[in-house]
Amino acid sequence: MDKKVFQPIEIKGMKLKNRIGFAPLLNMPAGDDGYINDLTIRWFEERAKGGTALIMTGAVGPLTPRVPAQPSILGLKGIGLYDDKFIPGFTKLAEVIHSYDASLGVQMAIGGPMGGQGPSPPPYPDEKHPTDDLFFVSAGVRIPGREVSVEELERMESDVAAAAARAKAAGADCVELHATHGGASLLYSFLSPYYNRRTDKYGGDWEGRLRFPVETLQKMREAVGEDYPILIRISADQLLGKRGITIEDTCKFIVPALEKAGADCIDVSQGDMLRAGEGITIPLYYPRGCFIQFAAAVKQVTRLPVIGVGNIFDLDMAERFLQEGKADIIYMGRQITADPETPKKYFEGRPEDIRTCIGCLGGCGRPCTINYDIQDNPIPLTPAKKPKKVVVIGGGVGGMEAARIAALRGHKVTLIEKDSELGGMVAALALTPLTAEFRNIVDYLATQMRKLKVAVRVCHEATTADIEELKPDVVIVAAGSSPILPEAVRGKPGVLTHAEASRRKREIGQKVVIWGVFGAELAISLAEEGKDVILLSRAGEGSIGSDISTARKWYLLRKLTDINVPRETPEAARVYNPEVIYNVDVADITVEGIGVEVKDVGKKVLPYDTFILSRRFGERKSNDSLFEKLQGKVAEVHKIGDCLQVKGIIEAIWSANEVARKI
Ligand SMILES: Cc1cc2nc3c(=O)[nH]c(=O)nc-3n(C[C@H](O)[C@H](O)[C@H](O)COP(=O)(O)O)c2cc1C
């Protein structure tokens, strides 16, 4: 076991058994009024049981039950530590975590401009509106900002220190001060010239802007004593170019000051929740490990242990970063959410059993698209009372998940797929570069088919005759859905469905028109290939990303519209904006092009080489004819996924579990 990721490390007396930490995620279960409850404990316990050495809580409120505004916008409850009454809950949590030889850290945050309070009031630089940014655009609310007073700052410093002392008293092994993510944090917004225009002692030069975080650290130190580890999380680069904090600023001014003020470990994150959210809730469009260079830069200027984070989904990558000296500890957030046993499976030499995150940001906790067990009351996975003969029709992710669960329970499973490969629509989507991470769930499930000895038959469209011959006790129909071809496009040249375009069934020409906002990611990928792309939306502005997570939507909006473009990040250099036409309907297709009707504008003809149908939900139909035909022919017939209702990956995976755990 000479791998670095297995090696222990010590931070001021806190012994971590390996180098993997669970990154702080706000989306943890909590009781009413900010108490830790049984679900909170189960949530963290599963991660400790799975082999993670350091379990860091998501941001808890040292001043209020909620980190201001974040949970209220996101609809989360939040956990408090602003009163001694919370200590027993943390004590119970610490005991459980310790029983797995893991350590517990408590992250503490004070909300910043995003929550309506900042070093200076808005407007902030370059804003078209006092609080104009994608966060508020997506959240649909604007929180007015106000400047915090010196008296408030002094009180907050003492309150955070008192909360740190409570964490220690409860038996937590360390605390982490959240001074990161731009407008999400009051501490970070004091550091940043972007938010801080004060002229008093808490503003101005670096000494002034560092004062609030430094004083807070010093008061925490007084409260917890010399021998207790205090970690601090910073955005090493705010991702706003010279308008915000750059990595050079961090290395030159911030890290030395924090080290001097008594920090024991630097947790290196990046981005700004208000203006560069892609650093925090990182869309799958970014490469794995894309922000590790910031941890590596910080490591050059400090002797303190450094934590690296960001889109690190596999432990081989974690190992490489540790070997290369880019970080001393790796935080994994979404991966350990998707599969809490990630470290354990890796350490046991069976990485193929790890269910790798697909980066969809579809909940990252509650729910998680690919982890059915994450919810409060999952149907338990128990051995079948009587092993049955089960046939699953359709080898998409829903069908494979149903087969996996049924096989795990001891049923004898056959899976029939009409195509030559498994994965269905998700496998097709994974061929688009922007959504390539979707491949992870296809690969995981396909591997499990082999390991669980599911009899897989491909290139065969199942019929009632097959079922009559196989004589199963249970049939699960997971045959997916098909696009409804509108009259205007039938039989017209150059028309491809979304799946056909993703699979490049036919060559895609230079002039591409995509009908339906489901095609936004494909539109960007094709534009990045150098095609001229027009995306048509039947609905108005705001329809882009209406069916995906906010963080993905931010990115799509930025790529597809003029909001916040151009940006001073390296990514900006890669911005190719497909043209988007809203409120449009396709009337006909002629030799001249696609005839469209744009609301308040009138008719237009768009020349095209390829026309892609990327419409969704109401514009696709379930392939459920076999389900109907099998009624009365088999003892139990179920339908799942798109075959049940045309929806997304999560519905496919979850409906598969709901059926396969009961048969
Ligand atoms: C849903 C969600 C909630 C988060 N909550 C917090 C938080 O409370 N505090 C924090 O410092 N970072 C938070 N983050 C950032 C994560 O700690 C982590 O840095 C980020 O998810 C990137 O790591 P990953 O790619 O391993 O998930 C959150 C991220 C997500 C996706």
Side-chain angles (χ1 to χ4, degrees):
M1 285 225 183
D2 55 356
K3 284 203 168 159
K4 200 134 189 188
V5 71
F6 297 122
Q7 287 171 12
I9 185 170
E10 199 170 314
I11 305 175
K12 194 172 256 178
M14 172 175 69
K15 294 190 178 71
L16 300 180
K17 63 180 172 185
N18 62 48
R19 303 300 183 95
I20 301 300
F22 181 39
L25 296 182
L26 204 55
N27 308 19
M28 49 197 173
D32 291 335
D33 302 326
Y35 284 100
I36 285 179
N37 66 12
D38 289 348
L39 285 174
T40 324
I41 293 190
R42 194 181 91 201
W43 165 257
F44 289 115
E45 178 178 10
E46 275 166 15
R47 270 109 209 125
K49 204 197 259 177
T52 299
L54 174 60
I55 302 293
M56 185 58 67
T57 66
V60 308
L63 315 177
T64 59
R66 298 176 164 191
V67 180
Q70 271 163 271
S72 52
I73 286 179
L74 302 173
L76 299 174
K77 283 183 177 162
I79 292 177
L81 194 48
Y82 59 91
D83 191 284
D84 287 353
K85 67 184 183 186
F86 295 109
I87 293 178
F90 279 91
T91 303
K92 205 169 157 197
L93 177 61
E95 282 166 8
V96 171
I97 299 302
H98 292 160
S99 72
Y100 295 96
D101 192 21
S103 302
L104 174 68
V106 180
Q107 192 192 58
M108 293 186 291
I110 311 172
M114 195 169 110
Q117 56 181 16
S120 315
Y124 302 116
D126 296 348
E127 290 187 348
K128 288 182 262 167
H129 176 277
T131 53
D132 198 1
D133 53 73
L134 288 176
F135 181 83
F136 290 126
V137 170
S138 324
V141 277
R142 290 185 191 287
I143 298 177
R146 65 172 196 94
E147 178 175 313
V148 290
S149 68
V150 171
E151 296 71 50
E152 283 176 285
L153 289 176
E154 286 166 357
R155 186 176 47 75
M156 286 176 186
E157 290 170 359
S158 305
D159 286 351
V160 173
R166 283 183 203 111
K168 182 182 177 188
D173 303 278
C174 67
V175 287
E176 178 170 292
L177 185 61
H178 178 282
T180 186
H181 302 162
S185 155
L186 191 61
L187 287 148
Y188 191 82
S189 52
F190 267 80
L191 288 173
S192 170
Y194 183 84
Y195 293 107
N196 189 341
R197 301 184 309 278
R198 291 172 86 103
T199 50
D200 64 7
K201 64 176 181 168
Y202 289 100
D205 58 8
W206 277 105
E207 194 185 345
R209 282 187 279 123
L210 273 157
R211 191 177 310 277
F212 179 41
V214 162
E215 285 179 359
T216 306
L217 268 179
Q218 287 166 339
K219 288 203 187 156
M220 287 169 81
R221 177 59 68 209
E222 280 166 30
V224 297
E226 280 308 316
D227 57 355
Y228 191 72
I230 303 177
L231 288 55
I232 185 160
R233 177 167 247 206
I234 52 169
S235 277
D237 196 300
Q238 204 175 342
L239 304 180
L240 294 179
K242 294 216 182 316
R243 292 174 301 156
I245 289 172
T246 62
I247 184 64
E248 290 76 24
D249 296 332
T250 296
C251 291
K252 195 162 170 201
F253 303 106
I254 300 176
V255 172
L258 299 178
E259 190 170 344
K260 195 160 157 237
D264 298 307
C265 172
I266 312 285
D267 169 10
V268 179
S269 188
Q270 59 286 313
D272 182 317
M273 204 64 195
L274 284 181
R275 299 301 299 251
E278 71 274 15
I280 304 135
T281 44
I282 311 167
L284 69 162
Y285 317 128
Y286 285 73
R288 299 237 187 128
C290 50
F291 293 119
I292 197 67
Q293 73 276 15
F294 297 135
V298 169
K299 256 194 82 68
Q300 299 300 311
V301 296
T302 181
R303 280 180 313 191
L304 297 176
V306 167
I307 300 174
V309 70
N311 257 9
I312 304 171
F313 293 167
D314 64 285
L315 285 172
D316 282 339
M317 176 174 271
E319 172 66 19
R320 180 155 59 79
F321 290 158
L322 294 168
Q323 292 280 357
E324 290 169 355
K326 290 182 169 150
D328 302 290
I329 294 167
I330 299 291
Y331 265 173
M332 292 175 139
R334 289 166 297 158
Q335 176 52 37
I336 289 176
T337 305
D339 189 344
E341 293 194 312
T342 300
K344 182 170 180 271
K345 289 172 178 172
Y346 187 79
F347 296 162
E348 288 174 359
R350 44 186 189 104
E352 73 282 2
D353 287 342
I354 296 172
R355 190 172 47 224
T356 303
C357 175
I358 57 171
C360 67
L361 291 165
C364 301
R366 327 185 66 239
C368 163
T369 298
I370 59 172
N371 181 0
Y372 168 83
D373 282 300
I374 209 147
Q375 60 187 305
D376 295 354
N377 292 305
I379 301 166
L381 185 59
T382 50
K385 284 198 190 90
K386 179 174 160 264
K388 292 181 180 166
K389 201 169 170 191
V390 178
V391 172
V392 179
I393 296 167
V397 295
M400 285 198 284
E401 177 74 350
R404 180 180 81 89
I405 297 293
L408 274 175
R409 296 186 58 217
H411 294 304
K412 194 169 179 318
V413 187
T414 302
L415 183 142
I416 306 175
E417 164 58 40
K418 70 173 175 6
D419 281 343
S420 57
E421 61 157 2
L422 295 172
M425 186 66 180
V426 178
L429 296 179
L431 295 169
T432 296
L434 240 56
T435 41
E437 291 282 10
F438 285 176
R439 188 77 219 164
N440 304 338
I441 186 66
V442 175
D443 289 346
Y444 163 75
L445 289 169
T447 304
Q448 296 307 307
M449 295 302 94
R450 281 195 297 281
K451 289 190 79 164
L452 293 165
K453 304 205 167 21
V454 171
V456 175
R457 190 167 170 199
V458 290
C459 301
H460 184 82
E461 183 146 13
T463 60
T464 40
D466 293 319
I467 302 303
E468 275 158 11
E469 193 192 319
L470 288 165
K471 295 188 183 42
D473 304 302
V474 182
V475 175
I476 301 174
V477 187
S481 62
S482 308
I484 301 167
L485 288 190
E487 192 56 48
V489 308
R490 279 191 208 152
K492 296 289 159 61
V495 176
L496 292 175
T497 65
H498 190 97
E500 286 168 342
S502 305
R503 291 201 169 98
R504 304 288 166 124
K505 284 273 180 208
R506 266 170 284 143
E507 200 192 328
I508 296 181
Q510 179 60 27
K511 289 195 187 65
V512 183
V513 178
I514 300 183
W515 188 9
V517 291
F518 181 64
E521 283 147 338
L522 181 62
I524 295 168
S525 287
L526 291 173
E528 288 187 340
E529 261 179 48
K531 313 261 186 217
D532 305 319
V533 184
I534 300 177
L535 182 66
L536 307 178
S537 169
R538 221 205 284 255
E541 281 188 45
S543 53
I544 300 278
S546 52
D547 57 342
I548 56 174
S549 67
T550 309
R552 266 167 80 191
K553 181 174 168 165
W554 289 345
Y555 180 91
L556 289 182
L557 284 173
R558 219 179 67 216
K559 282 272 195 182
L560 289 167
T561 71
D562 64 354
I563 300 174
N564 282 2
V565 172
R567 301 178 39 115
E568 297 166 35
T569 63
E571 281 299 310
R574 294 177 54 243
V575 170
Y576 299 88
N577 287 350
E579 184 188 340
V580 188
I581 307 179
Y582 295 100
N583 296 310
V584 59
D585 214 347
V586 173
D588 54 12
I589 301 180
T590 62
V591 278
E592 276 89 47
I594 297 160
V596 295
E597 185 85 48
V598 189
K599 193 175 159 207
D600 301 330
V601 176
K603 288 189 193 316
K604 259 180 144 177
V605 175
L606 310 170
Y608 80 105
D609 299 314
T610 302
F611 184 54
I612 302 172
L613 278 173
S614 298
R615 306 183 321 151
R616 258 207 118 173
F617 300 154
E619 289 140 342
R620 294 180 68 86
K621 60 175 183 335
S622 298
N623 298 331
D624 57 2
S625 61
L626 194 56
F627 172 81
E628 301 301 340
K629 284 185 200 148
L630 291 175
Q631 295 305 314
K633 291 204 163 65
V634 184
E636 258 186 78
V637 193
H638 303 273
K639 51 182 173 175
I640 60 167
D642 267 16
C643 188
L644 175 69
Q645 193 185 5
V646 181
K647 284 263 170 153
I649 302 175
I650 185 164
E651 287 81 8
I653 300 266
W654 285 43
S655 62
N657 278 278
E658 269 145 28
V659 166
R661 287 178 189 231
K662 284 192 196 151
I663 53 177

